[in-house]
Amino acid sequence: MISKPIIDLLRSTYGLNWDGIHGASHWARVRVNGMMIAEDNGANQKVIELFAFFHDSMRENDNHDPRHGYRAAELVDSLTLEFLGINQREKFLLMTACRHHTDRLSETDDISVLTCWDSDALDLGRIGVMPSADRLHTRLARQEKFIQWCYEQS
Ligand SMILES: [Fe+2]
């Protein structure tokens, strides 16, 4: 589970509406999607959970904000391993997942990073967009039934 100090940090850092389309309810959905995919593929649950809560935390608006993933990675970088509750390798994966979750400029084939990205994309229903299997990477996420289920939850 995400620790209270992390939630407190995000509450004080997040500059947009906590209940808005990129706020806490989206983060919670990304977490649920990610945990389900991780059960299927063994992706790192700590990385996914932290990604869910950090990836959109530095958004400056709810529309076009191409640098928000980079700022999220910088925020993660500024925090200690102890505070985050992860090791150096996990921090590297978390920063990669945050930095490139919108532009996908990393050539990574790491299953935990790809699971983070799929978990986020599967919540596109919050803006009325049905996720496309072509744009998803992991086995479970690409299944039409799962895509439909995530869409209905978002
Ligand atoms: Fe997101």
Side-chain angles (χ1 to χ4, degrees), residues 22 26 30 55-56 101 120 126:
H22 291 103
H26 167 54
V30 173
H55 76 285
D56 279 341
H101 79 271
D120 187 30
R126 74 190 181 280

